[in-house]
Amino acid sequence: MKVAVIGAGAAGMTAAYSLVKHNIEVDVYEASSRIGGLAGTLTLWNQKVDIGPHRFFSTDKKVNALWLEVVGKDYEMIDRLTRIYYKNKFYSYPIRIFNALSNLGIFEAGQCVFSYLLERISATEQDGSFETWVQHRFGKRLFEVFFKNYTEKLWGISCKDLDADFAAQRIKKLSLYESIKNAVLNGKGNKHKTLVDQFAYPLGGSGMVYERMADAVRNSGNNIHLNTPVYRIITNRGKILGIELEDGSFREYDHVISSMPYTLMVKRLTEVPETIRHLAEHLKFRNTVLVYLQINSTSLFPDNWLYIHSTDLQMGRVTNFRNWIPGLYGNEEKTIIAIEYWCNDDEPMWRYNDEDFVKLASDEIARTGLVSPDLIENGYVHRIHRSYPIYSKGYKEILKPIEEYISSIENLSVVGRYGAFKYNNQDHSILMGLLAAENILNNANHQLCDINTDYETYQESFIITKTGLYKQ
């Protein structure tokens, strides 16, 4: 059997790595010049940085076992420190009750408590939106303070138009009660990812995991083709024949595992019905722009990353790579931070040049007081097209018939955040890659589209510690 894997990100590399261990012939095609996709690692100014903050955490034994198999002992446990920046104040995240009350002040805190109690008495009618879902869990005022602005920056649409499915996938077990319990117990016994205060991190950066997988694929005699974008998948009577590269060449395969952007993959299939093609046009992705700044200081702020909730700032998240592990910066006496912006193809921001972005990021980070402008020495811009699948309200009704059509193609697997139109973490994508490989190797019938729908349903829970796997 010969398999093509489209995309060298977390899902694609996991699938390829799992297949070559069982002597399956694999070719990996990656449009860019590097391995790792959204979880990749860059080298800038003699330091290593990830493409935004990437923490690995899973409770799935299979996922964790594979991660440890690849990483070995080359990882550290990082104590997570993240905060919310809102109205020139910093709020601990996960929420620390006394910190939040102190920052909000008596009047604002009273409003938050009152709106939460009011919600318990007269619940907000659920209309399928993120806004009503979160208001029901936290009350209207806490929604406005801690959810609304950041969420709308990220997705580019009103919380009224964002599907509640996003909340159900990402924060389904999080509530005000859980947040207060977390604060009182100081994080002990947390299983909810949003509340986890420690995570495993590879010594060579997030991308080290997938670079090692790539080495294993190459060492087994198989191929990884970088700078080689796939144009489309060729089918005949509901069965894949192979792929067509952007240079027009055709390559034959028995199975294709695709993590190319879902909308492009669907619209370019050679036999796709017009109704399916039309539906795919209604699915949209959000873009990310990361502006890396080199700062002439080794002591800025203590957080791994910050969420920027202030309405007067366009940036959404700030990562300080100095606060991860020393292996990233080595002997360098300077700090690299990453400032994230999100935009759509049709927004003016997406057309900014690099100098505009560096100036915007430099000005905004200086306005927070976190970095003195005279310490900023260099800037680098990294653009990611189609980084977030937009969960517009009702998107599942659009996605379902497309998924049913794709599942009817017997030798095609779609995986990853891009490929499956799922807002995946690394562990979701690793699991997709693993199960896609199992479907091929064992003729299994894992439903990949169900991953990251109701994800945390394992009978047994295992986490990674410094000494390996630990059963909770």
Side-chain angles (χ1 to χ4, degrees):
M1 174 177 280
K2 191 173 183 180
V3 177
V5 175
I6 304 174
M13 287 314 311
T14 299
Y17 174 79
S18 301
L19 289 170
V20 300
K21 288 196 299 181
H22 293 84
N23 299 316
I24 300 295
E25 188 176 352
V26 174
D27 288 324
V28 179
Y29 295 90
E30 169 56 42
S32 74
S33 60
R34 57 178 180 77
I35 301 294
L38 293 173
T41 298
L42 306 174
T43 299
L44 291 177
W45 306 303
N46 203 33
Q47 298 187 43
K48 290 184 177 180
V49 292
D50 290 339
I51 301 175
H54 285 285
R55 65 187 177 104
F56 175 83
F57 180 82
S58 175
T59 56
D60 184 289
K61 184 178 181 180
K62 186 182 297 186
V63 170
N64 284 329
L66 179 92
W67 194 89
L68 286 171
E69 175 183 302
V70 175
V71 175
K73 296 182 179 180
D74 298 331
Y75 70 96
E76 291 185 17
M77 300 303 298
I78 292 182
D79 292 325
R80 168 186 170 181
L81 175 61
T82 54
R83 289 182 295 173
I84 293 169
Y85 177 82
Y86 176 71
K87 290 188 175 180
N88 300 315
K89 292 184 179 180
F90 296 92
Y91 294 78
S92 297
Y93 189 80
I95 293 170
R96 299 289 184 254
I97 193 164
F98 296 113
N99 166 263
L101 291 174
S102 174
N103 278 346
L104 288 170
I106 294 175
F107 178 74
E108 183 69 83
Q111 278 192 308
C112 292
V113 172
F114 176 76
S115 68
Y116 175 75
L117 294 176
L118 186 63
E119 188 66 33
R120 307 281 67 77
I121 297 169
S122 179
T124 298
E125 183 178 351
Q126 298 297 294
D127 62 5
S129 72
F130 177 84
E131 180 167 315
T132 58
W133 192 98
V134 176
Q135 281 190 21
H136 178 63
R137 288 289 185 99
F138 292 90
K140 182 177 181 179
R141 188 58 191 144
L142 276 173
F143 160 74
E144 291 172 342
V145 172
F146 290 115
F147 293 91
K148 186 178 187 299
N149 184 59
Y150 181 84
T151 301
E152 291 181 351
K153 281 185 189 181
L154 175 58
W155 298 107
I157 58 177
S158 167
C159 289
K160 298 179 189 298
D161 298 322
L162 182 64
D163 200 286
D165 195 48
F166 166 65
Q169 286 184 19
R170 303 294 282 205
I171 58 174
K172 66 183 179 180
K173 293 181 180 179
L174 185 63
S175 65
L176 184 61
Y177 168 76
E178 287 294 330
S179 298
I180 293 172
K181 184 174 122 179
N182 172 75
V184 171
L185 298 178
N186 199 27
K188 293 179 180 178
N190 279 332
K191 293 184 181 180
H192 192 281
K193 290 182 185 181
T194 305
L195 300 175
V196 167
D197 287 333
Q198 193 177 67
F199 58 93
Y201 187 77
L203 297 183
S206 173
M208 187 191 88
V209 182
Y210 312 107
E211 290 160 6
R212 286 190 175 182
M213 288 182 178
D215 289 340
V217 169
R218 294 187 183 104
N219 292 338
S220 64
N222 293 277
N223 302 303
I224 295 179
H225 304 279
L226 300 178
N227 299 306
T228 311
V230 172
Y231 177 70
R232 62 178 176 172
I233 299 169
I234 307 296
T235 61
N236 182 39
R237 297 180 182 180
K239 185 175 182 179
I240 287 176
L241 301 180
I243 62 172
E244 180 185 334
L245 302 182
E246 284 204 348
D247 64 9
S249 61
F250 170 77
R251 301 188 182 183
E252 183 177 355
Y253 289 97
D254 300 302
H255 196 107
V256 172
I257 298 174
S258 173
S259 66
M260 71 185 293
Y262 195 73
T263 49
L264 288 184
M265 187 273 295
V266 171
K267 288 188 285 186
R268 290 178 179 177
L269 282 169
T270 49
E271 294 182 316
V272 62
E274 194 58 36
T275 54
I276 299 299
R277 194 190 309 272
H278 180 70
L279 285 172
E281 290 174 353
H282 289 82
L283 297 176
K284 305 295 181 184
F285 284 89
R286 187 89 160 142
N287 304 327
T288 298
V289 179
L290 292 115
V291 183
Y292 294 89
L293 299 178
Q294 184 187 39
I295 314 297
N296 189 14
S297 172
T298 59
S299 181
L300 296 176
F301 51 92
D303 309 77
N304 303 113
W305 67 91
L306 291 161
Y307 300 104
I308 310 300
H309 286 219
S310 297
T311 57
D312 60 334
L313 297 170
Q314 294 182 75
M315 62 182 177
R317 191 163 55 177
V318 180
T319 305
N320 184 344
F321 290 102
R322 192 85 189 182
N323 297 331
W324 290 66
I325 58 171
L328 294 183
Y329 53 83
N331 296 321
E332 293 297 311
E333 294 295 322
K334 297 178 182 180
T335 296
I336 298 178
I337 63 173
I339 298 173
E340 289 179 67
Y341 296 94
W342 302 298
C343 52
N344 295 336
D345 288 353
D346 58 358
E347 293 182 46
M349 179 180 281
W350 184 239
R351 296 187 291 275
Y352 285 4
N353 59 39
D354 287 1
E355 292 75 17
D356 291 335
F357 270 120
V358 171
K359 184 179 186 305
L360 174 63
S362 299
D363 290 346
E364 289 204 328
I365 198 67
R367 284 168 55 194
T368 65
L370 292 166
V371 176
S372 175
D374 61 312
L375 296 178
I376 301 172
E377 294 191 343
N378 287 299
Y380 174 81
V381 177
H382 183 79
R383 302 165 192 261
I384 310 171
H385 198 202
R386 305 184 188 95
S387 53
Y388 289 93
I390 300 176
Y391 285 6
S392 299
K393 194 164 72 171
Y395 85 101
K396 287 183 291 185
E397 285 68 34
I398 297 172
L399 191 60
K400 185 176 179 181
I402 302 175
E403 288 179 338
E404 290 174 349
Y405 173 73
I406 295 301
S407 66
S408 72
I409 302 174
E410 61 184 77
N411 51 344
L412 172 64
S413 303
V414 292
V415 296
R417 183 185 288 191
Y418 288 162
F421 203 79
K422 296 281 187 181
Y423 184 24
N424 282 357
N425 286 325
Q426 281 187 81
D427 57 316
H428 299 127
S429 289
I430 288 172
L431 184 60
M432 276 187 170
L434 274 170
L435 297 187
E438 286 185 8
N439 282 347
I440 294 171
L441 293 167
N442 306 323
N443 198 27
N445 190 34
H446 299 300
Q447 298 302 306
L448 304 182
C449 62
D450 290 341
I451 296 171
N452 195 15
T453 299
D454 187 21
Y455 179 59
E456 296 180 78
T457 57
Y458 314 111
Q459 292 182 348
E460 293 184 312
S461 179
F462 290 80
I463 62 171
I464 291 177
T465 68
K466 188 52 190 169
T467 56
L469 275 182
Y470 172 73
K471 183 176 179 180
Q472 288 186 309

